[in-house]
Amino acid sequence: SRFTMIFVCLDRRPGETVLAYRTDTMMLLSIDPINDSIGILSIPRDLYVQVPGYTELQRINTPMVFGESRQPGYGPTLLMQTVQLNIGIRIHDYVAVDFQAFIDIVELIGGIDIEIDYTINDPQYPNMSYGYDPFYLPAGSHHLAGYDALRFARTRHGSSDIQRAERQQQAIFAIRDRVLRLDMIPQLLVQAPALWNTLSDNVYTGLSLEQIIQLGLYAKDIDLDNIKTGVIDFSYLQGYTTESGASVLIPNRSRLGSLMSEVFGSGYSE
């Protein structure tokens, strides 16, 4: 049957160890074995939604913080409940990584190859110590090491969360492409237990290592044409300013269903 998980990246720097951080990146990944397909949907972090147990609407990137504040270890549960309630698809599990885990994964495979048709110029890119580390990447083809791959995926200066979500998906596909193109699967399988121990301080999930391996082996054989992607972009959103003056995004629920069907298939809610 369908298996859906939420993949998030925590806005957490080196030396920080708890889960109570906002989710900087949010993607729904749903595997449909009946139709041999995968759907990936990026969710903007400023989506203004109902969080179970809270009367006021909140940004969708906050439930991890609220849940952990209520009870250590409850953050992922509240996150899954919130996304499930507002997006309308059952979520079975989660994977949360921090910035260092993403860097380590990209370094492990020797970097990623990306191509962009616009220039990125972010003089205020936030570094790993709450300062600034200007990021400039001209249009064209690039091979990015771990830290630059993170900057490519995180920067949004001069663009929107929507364009940033597209870059994040591009980075995920670049990781998949490099692993498959260089036939790294056998090597990674041999190293899996040691790698898991190395990454364990920076990766959180309800899945076991064996389950992650099984999912990876299944996903690698899915034809690229059967992997559908989408972003909850401004076609499905409305800008709104809260009473406190914060800019957020209200989902257009009457239109969101069509995007869900396009990405996940017509039976996504069953």
Side-chain angles (χ1 to χ4, degrees):
S1 60
R2 178 183 294 276
F3 179 82
T4 303
M5 63 180 181
I6 181 78
F7 174 85
V8 300
C9 186
L10 303 173
D11 190 2
R12 189 175 81 171
R13 272 63 171 182
E16 299 170 337
T17 58
V18 298
L19 261 175
Y21 288 89
R22 292 175 178 170
T23 45
D24 194 66
T25 298
M26 303 185 71
M27 292 184 192
L28 276 174
L29 189 151
S30 188
I31 298 174
D32 179 5
I34 296 176
N35 295 301
D36 208 27
S37 65
I38 296 177
I40 302 173
L41 180 69
S42 290
I43 304 171
R45 63 181 182 175
D46 288 336
L47 204 65
Y48 207 43
V49 298
Q50 180 182 351
V51 177
Y54 294 82
T55 55
E56 296 183 359
L57 299 180
Q58 306 288 340
R59 283 187 172 91
I60 203 168
N61 69 341
T62 58
M64 186 74 83
V65 178
F66 291 159
E68 288 298 305
S69 300
R70 185 186 303 178
Q71 178 182 334
Y74 184 63
T77 299
L78 186 60
L79 169 68
M80 290 190 290
Q81 290 175 346
T82 300
V83 175
Q84 183 169 292
L85 172 66
N86 291 277
I87 305 300
I89 185 171
R90 182 183 178 189
I91 301 175
H92 302 91
D93 223 307
Y94 76 100
V95 174
V97 304
D98 64 10
F99 297 148
Q100 189 59 51
F102 181 84
I103 292 172
D104 291 343
I105 290 168
V106 174
E107 288 291 324
L108 173 67
I109 63 173
I112 59 174
D113 298 308
I114 62 96
E115 183 173 349
I116 52 174
D117 59 5
Y118 56 90
T119 294
I120 297 173
N121 185 14
D122 185 354
Q124 295 181 319
Y125 177 84
N127 65 16
M128 302 287 271
S129 304
Y130 296 100
Y132 296 108
D133 185 10
F135 181 51
Y136 178 83
L137 194 69
S141 300
H142 303 276
H143 183 79
L144 302 180
Y147 180 60
D148 280 341
L150 176 69
R151 294 203 292 176
F152 171 77
R154 284 198 67 213
T155 180
R156 68 170 183 171
H157 187 79
S159 63
S160 67
D161 250 0
I162 308 305
Q163 193 171 37
R164 187 173 78 149
E166 293 170 348
R167 286 195 297 271
Q168 290 167 352
Q169 290 187 4
Q170 188 177 355
I172 295 297
F173 276 93
I175 292 172
R176 179 183 186 271
D177 178 68
R178 185 167 178 83
V179 168
L180 296 182
R181 179 163 46 84
L182 298 183
D183 193 23
M184 293 182 178
I185 296 293
Q187 175 187 350
L188 293 175
L189 286 176
V190 171
Q191 298 176 341
L195 293 174
W196 186 246
N197 287 333
T198 300
L199 295 170
S200 60
D201 289 339
N202 305 101
V203 177
Y204 302 85
T205 180
L207 299 169
S208 67
L209 175 59
E210 182 181 359
Q211 289 172 321
I212 291 174
I213 291 173
Q214 290 174 344
L215 288 170
L217 290 174
Y218 178 82
K220 78 177 180 64
D221 292 327
I222 299 293
D223 190 275
L224 196 59
D225 290 338
N226 285 345
I227 301 179
K228 307 299 182 183
T229 63
V231 177
I232 302 180
D233 61 22
F234 294 112
S235 300
Y236 309 94
L237 300 169
Q238 177 180 340
Y240 178 73
T241 301
T242 68
E243 292 183 0
S244 63
S247 296
V248 294
L249 298 169
I250 303 295
N252 186 331
R253 301 183 190 280
S254 64
R255 302 192 63 185
L256 194 55
S258 62
L259 176 63
M260 298 289 289
S261 294
E262 180 182 330
V263 174
F264 299 123
S266 58
Y268 72 88
S269 60
E270 296 176 359

